[in-house]
Amino acid sequence: MAIKKLLVVGDSFMHPDQDFPGQHWSEMLPEYEIIMRSISGSSNGMIAYQFVQGLKLNPDAVVMGFTMPDRIEFRIPPGRPHYNSNRIWYSSGNSELDADQRLAVDIFRATTDDVMNRFKSMLMAKSMFLECERRRLPYAVNYNGLHGANLAHPTADPIIQDIVDEFSSRRCTNLNGHVFKMNPGFHNDDPVCQQRMATEVRDILSTVDFD
């Protein structure tokens, strides 16, 4: 029997760190072949792009992690070296930005509406959920920075909450709800939390309720 393929998309919280082997939730699911497409510093737009590209690899299931809705993208200039050769963009979650890009990020964060940014990211997430359901792909969701550690952001709009509630059966432990650490690269070294995430992913993916 062929081992099932699990597509993982997201930012740094969703990606293991080779210097901390075996400590990330994605390394605790031996029953799956992991198709790791998450990239540190990704915006939600970049995560959606990972998802679309990853579907071409015909996964049997998907785990999606999201990030803060105020990250914006900048195309990496041709010829600029980067640690990930598959990367097309930087986002405001990366340190490689130049002075003009940092200014653009500051202006964006100072002048745009938080609720609308969250709504756009949640609508993007919903489209990914619905695509999984259309393909009858089991999926699990980790909102991380998108909707606050306890899914109770102070500026949350009822429409945003409706989307969260609609897909609540797919929601996993929030990996961003702990003390942030630069190392490991997935920022959460709590073994209980990582194991709980792995267990929840396994349980959710085993429950198919598309009908």
Side-chain angles (χ1 to χ4, degrees):
M1 182 176 178
I3 189 169
K4 291 185 177 181
K5 295 186 292 185
L6 175 60
L7 173 64
V8 178
V9 300
D11 64 357
S12 53
F13 284 92
M14 303 299 284
H15 198 288
D17 185 333
Q18 64 181 2
D19 293 329
F20 296 82
Q23 298 183 37
H24 189 254
W25 66 267
S26 65
E27 300 171 292
M28 302 175 185
L29 298 168
E31 65 269 36
Y32 288 100
E33 172 191 347
I34 304 297
I35 305 173
M36 183 57 64
R37 288 294 179 268
S38 60
I39 300 176
S40 177
S42 290
S43 67
N44 287 317
M46 293 162 66
I47 292 167
Y49 191 87
Q50 297 164 14
F51 172 77
V52 172
Q53 292 295 96
L55 290 180
K56 297 178 182 180
L57 302 174
N58 298 313
D60 299 292
V62 184
V63 178
M64 294 166 261
F66 296 97
T67 189
M68 289 81 73
D70 62 353
R71 287 183 173 179
I72 56 177
E73 306 83 13
F74 302 93
R75 184 171 284 270
I76 299 174
R80 179 181 290 184
H82 194 268
Y83 70 90
N84 189 319
S85 60
N86 295 319
R87 192 164 197 162
I88 301 173
W89 302 278
Y90 296 132
S91 87
S92 45
N94 295 112
S95 60
E96 297 95 335
L97 303 185
D98 61 31
D100 288 341
Q101 291 168 336
R102 292 189 180 283
L103 178 60
V105 170
D106 289 342
I107 293 172
F108 179 85
R109 288 175 172 168
T111 59
T112 58
D113 182 70
D114 180 75
V115 172
M116 179 53 68
N117 288 337
R118 288 179 186 275
F119 171 72
K120 289 188 288 187
S121 285
M122 286 300 300
L123 199 61
M124 192 183 309
K126 181 175 181 177
S127 73
M128 295 162 67
F129 306 159
L130 293 177
E131 181 60 20
C132 285
E133 296 190 3
R134 187 184 73 81
R135 294 173 179 244
R136 301 188 70 80
L137 283 175
Y139 65 96
V141 181
N142 193 308
Y143 287 108
N144 286 333
L146 174 55
H147 205 268
N150 297 307
L151 297 180
H153 191 270
T155 58
D157 182 90
I159 294 177
I160 297 174
Q161 190 61 49
D162 285 346
I163 297 174
V164 173
D165 293 342
E166 182 179 356
F167 300 95
S168 61
S169 65
R170 297 292 172 180
R171 191 172 70 221
C172 297
T173 292
N174 195 309
L175 297 171
N176 199 21
H178 295 256
V179 176
F180 181 93
K181 297 183 178 180
M182 289 304 299
N183 290 304
F186 47 85
H187 311 307
N188 181 339
D189 63 355
D190 181 348
V192 174
C193 180
Q194 295 291 335
Q195 184 61 63
R196 183 167 64 246
M197 173 72 179
T199 299
E200 290 176 0
V201 165
R202 181 180 291 112
D203 291 346
I204 290 170
L205 296 184
S206 68
T207 305
V208 179
D209 54 1
F210 299 136
D211 296 326

